Amino acid sequence: MAYYFDEPSRTFSEYLLMPGYSSKDCRPENVNITTPIAKYRRGESPKIVMNIPLVSAIMQAVSDDKMAIALAKEGGISFIYASQSIESQAAMIHRVKSHKAGFVKSDSNIRPDQTLAEIVALKEKSGHSTIAVTEDGTADGRIVGLVTSRSYRVSRMAPDTKVSAFMTPFSELIYAEDGISLSEANDMLWDHKLNALPVIDKNRRLTHFVFRKDYDSHKENPNEFLDKDKRYMVGAGVNTRDYEERIPALADAGADVLCIDSSEGYSEWQRDTIAFVRRKYGDDMKIGAGNVVERDGFRFLADAGADFVKIGIGGGSICITREQKGIGRGQASAVIDVAAARDEYFEETGIYIPICSDGGIVYDYHMTLALAMGADFLMLGRYFSRFDESPTNKLNINGSYVKEYWGEGSNRARNWQRYDLGGEGGLSFEEGVDSYVPYAGSLKDNVGLSLGKMKSTMCNCGVLDIPSLQKNTKLTIVSATSIVEGGAHDVILKEQTSNLR
């Protein structure tokens, strides 16, 4: 007969952390939340360690190159979505890797024969006051001058005045040659009292800008997740259909780590994909696999050679796999079970395989719960989709700002490869929805707040790092009544008094 689990399938909201003894050293500034993203052997140091335990989901509505750069600045990594052409995904990877910390590609450019009116329109569109003047008006064209907010006065000049008439010509520009270090470029900014320094190659083509304002920004991001060449780290999703073509293209573009994007990872398709990576790249290319929700699935992917294993089926806010198929498991139960299997595997083989909790995070405290239950890092979709840096449209719906958010299993995404079970390609039914999420502002502000809560909670538990949180924390199951007790109750909130008049 079928096997029945003794315990019910539980979610994060059914648990609370118990406080532990806090010494005087238990202060948020002392908490270390670095975490490994790829497997390593006992006694060895992990090859890739993130500075924060957050990664962005492999979704069209979440992870493009802009999100990847923003999250790497904070210490995490994005997995750029695979439901696009190989060329497009590789180009996104390349843009992240070529975005040197402190070196910015120009996205406000104009030709010398254009007009003041076009300068004003470009400034309004981009929000940038420094505009490169190139022969062809492109970001990497041959530079002929520069326009800043001090170059013109709209009230004193005719709208049809040519840019060439008021730009600072190339002959008067202070610039740096391609290959300069960021430290040297910052010295030039300060020595010459500049706000922007063009970086130019031997053919006089503009390659980057270095801005004075970014010096302070760089100092504000001490957790930047960088490779050995000081480039931002970036991940990429792959599928089990075109991996023999896609993976080499992503590797050539500079992807640091891959992850198989699938709704269910306990499959021969994933084993074949991992085997391809091992044959072609050995252990040099890191690849995660999943998703699974119990120990047998973890063991299968671990034996197949996965560098990390992703947990979760049906727990995402836009996922309806459980509703459509009746397949899945409460995310808390899944993490607890797989974490136990991970620890058993480590004891048996001496190989530690990090696990990633994917889905089920509703509140910030769920992040800490997931880590305490054994997750090494968390993959988030809805959370990151709300920010300025996500690739979706910001809309005003009934007076409130929202951002679009859709699942990879929706008809809008057309990502049938994620749900592939062999046979002909195509999405026969949806396993995700198309929706809106409340707009939340910048990634930096929100991630900082969430991690602040995480560190404070860890201090309350008496721990200063993630391994200690996993080993020493106590958790309790809560009743439906205690969940109600945990929020505001038996009072009239001031914001509700207007409804009593």
Side-chain angles (χ1 to χ4, degrees):
M1 61 179 292
Y3 177 81
Y4 292 85
F5 285 85
D6 294 331
E7 282 291 316
S9 178
R10 298 191 182 278
T11 68
F12 293 132
S13 290
E14 295 179 78
Y15 287 88
L16 286 175
L17 293 159
M18 300 292 285
Y21 169 73
S22 299
S23 70
K24 292 181 180 179
D25 290 330
C26 285
R27 300 192 304 272
E29 61 267 27
N30 292 336
V31 174
N32 177 2
I33 53 174
T34 60
T35 192
I37 197 174
K39 66 183 179 183
Y40 59 94
R41 292 187 177 275
R42 182 185 284 114
E44 295 180 353
S45 298
K47 291 293 194 302
I48 306 178
V49 177
M50 292 190 297
N51 294 320
I52 64 173
L54 305 181
V55 305
S56 67
I58 311 168
M59 300 175 69
Q60 293 175 8
V62 180
S63 297
D64 64 353
D65 49 304
K66 184 177 179 182
M67 175 62 71
I69 292 169
L71 184 51
K73 286 181 178 180
E74 301 306 312
I77 195 169
S78 290
F79 286 87
I80 291 179
Y81 66 93
S83 50
Q84 60 180 314
S85 71
I86 295 173
E87 295 75 17
S88 177
Q89 189 183 19
M92 286 187 181
I93 297 291
H94 178 73
R95 286 197 291 271
V96 177
K97 300 307 290 187
S98 62
H99 185 105
K100 303 177 187 177
F103 291 85
V104 181
K105 291 289 288 185
S106 177
D107 58 4
S108 296
N109 310 282
I110 204 162
R111 298 189 313 275
D113 60 341
Q114 290 182 266
T115 64
L116 173 62
E118 290 172 293
I119 284 281
V120 173
L122 181 57
K123 181 180 178 181
E124 290 178 354
K125 179 181 178 181
S126 67
H128 299 151
S129 58
T130 299
I131 298 173
V133 186
T134 59
E135 288 181 345
D136 58 3
T138 65
D140 54 0
R142 184 176 168 85
I143 191 166
V144 295
L146 196 66
V147 172
T148 70
S149 58
R150 293 177 294 184
S151 302
Y152 57 88
R153 295 180 66 181
V154 175
S155 61
R156 301 286 184 92
M157 297 168 62
D160 60 354
T161 304
K162 298 294 185 185
V163 170
S164 58
F166 58 86
M167 70 181 187
T168 301
F170 178 77
S171 59
E172 298 178 16
L173 287 181
I174 296 173
Y175 61 89
E177 294 182 355
D178 193 28
I180 190 173
S181 70
L182 182 59
S183 177
E184 292 168 335
N186 282 321
D187 286 343
M188 289 186 67
L189 284 171
W190 290 99
D191 291 344
H192 296 281
K193 298 181 174 61
L194 303 173
N195 289 321
L197 178 71
V199 180
I200 298 168
D201 69 13
K202 61 183 180 181
N203 296 316
R204 217 175 91 181
R205 293 186 178 278
L206 180 65
T207 64
H208 297 90
F209 273 113
V210 178
F211 293 99
R212 179 189 290 261
K213 62 181 178 61
D214 287 340
Y215 175 82
D216 294 329
S217 174
H218 187 62
K219 294 298 183 183
E220 291 172 3
N221 298 311
N223 291 325
E224 287 179 319
F225 191 26
L226 306 174
D227 65 17
K228 60 182 177 60
D229 297 316
K230 306 300 182 184
R231 301 175 302 176
Y232 290 125
M233 296 283 283
V234 61
V238 298
N239 62 62
T240 57
R241 277 275 178 161
D242 64 6
Y243 59 88
E244 291 185 341
E245 295 78 36
R246 187 175 295 268
I247 289 176
L250 300 179
D252 289 344
D256 296 291
V257 59
L258 307 174
C259 183
I260 302 172
D261 181 30
S262 174
S263 64
E264 203 280 300
Y266 192 0
S267 76
E268 185 176 2
W269 308 105
Q270 295 222 358
R271 183 173 62 189
D272 290 347
T273 305
I274 297 169
F276 169 79
V277 171
R278 294 293 170 249
R279 287 195 306 271
K280 189 170 180 64
Y281 301 101
D283 288 329
D284 292 337
M285 175 58 76
K286 306 302 181 183
I287 182 167
N291 286 13
V292 299
V293 291
E294 45 82 44
R295 59 182 57 232
D296 290 344
F298 169 84
R299 184 65 189 231
F300 173 81
L301 293 176
D303 289 340
D307 285 294
F308 67 86
V309 174
K310 199 146 63 76
I311 308 164
I313 296 177
S317 60
I318 40 67
C319 185
I320 55 173
T321 295
R322 298 179 195 173
E323 180 181 308
Q324 292 281 50
K325 291 182 173 179
I327 290 175
R329 194 178 192 184
Q331 190 67 6
S333 295
V335 171
I336 292 168
D337 196 14
V338 174
R342 184 266 322 275
D343 293 344
E344 291 170 5
Y345 189 85
F346 180 53
E347 288 301 316
E348 177 184 333
T349 67
I351 299 173
Y352 187 90
I353 301 178
I355 56 177
C356 169
S357 177
D358 176 18
I361 301 293
V362 180
Y363 305 108
D364 282 351
Y365 82 90
H366 287 171
M367 297 181 186
T368 317
L369 276 170
L371 296 172
M373 291 173 179
D376 295 283
F377 58 98
L378 317 173
M379 179 170 280
L380 306 170
R382 181 195 61 85
Y383 177 83
F384 286 114
S385 71
R386 304 170 302 142
F387 303 152
D388 289 318
E389 293 82 0
S390 74
T392 64
N393 295 319
K394 176 184 171 185
L395 306 171
N396 190 310
I397 304 293
N398 298 325
S400 297
Y401 283 106
V402 298
K403 295 206 75 175
E404 294 179 299
Y405 181 48
W406 60 93
E408 289 297 300
S410 67
N411 280 326
R412 180 171 183 176
R414 300 183 181 278
N415 186 10
W416 62 268
Q417 294 95 334
R418 191 175 197 272
Y419 303 87
D420 188 22
L421 293 175
E424 295 298 321
L427 193 66
S428 55
F429 56 89
E430 289 187 287
E431 294 188 44
V433 299
D434 197 347
S435 65
Y436 299 117
V437 290
Y439 167 68
S442 75
L443 180 146
K444 182 177 181 63
D445 291 343
N446 283 276
V447 166
L449 178 61
S450 297
L451 295 180
K453 293 179 185 178
M454 180 186 293
K455 292 179 178 181
S456 180
T457 302
M458 291 171 67
C459 288
N460 291 144
C461 294
V463 299
L464 292 175
D465 56 42
I466 293 173
S468 299
L469 178 71
Q470 295 169 342
K471 181 179 179 181
N472 300 322
T473 300
K474 299 177 182 179
L475 297 99
T476 180
I477 296 174
V478 296
S479 68
T481 304
S482 64
I483 291 175
V484 174
E485 182 186 59
H489 61 91
D490 300 316
V491 295
I492 299 173
L493 298 180
K494 290 184 177 181
E495 61 202 43
Q496 296 174 350
T497 55
S498 61
N499 298 324
L500 301 177
R501 295 172 186 158

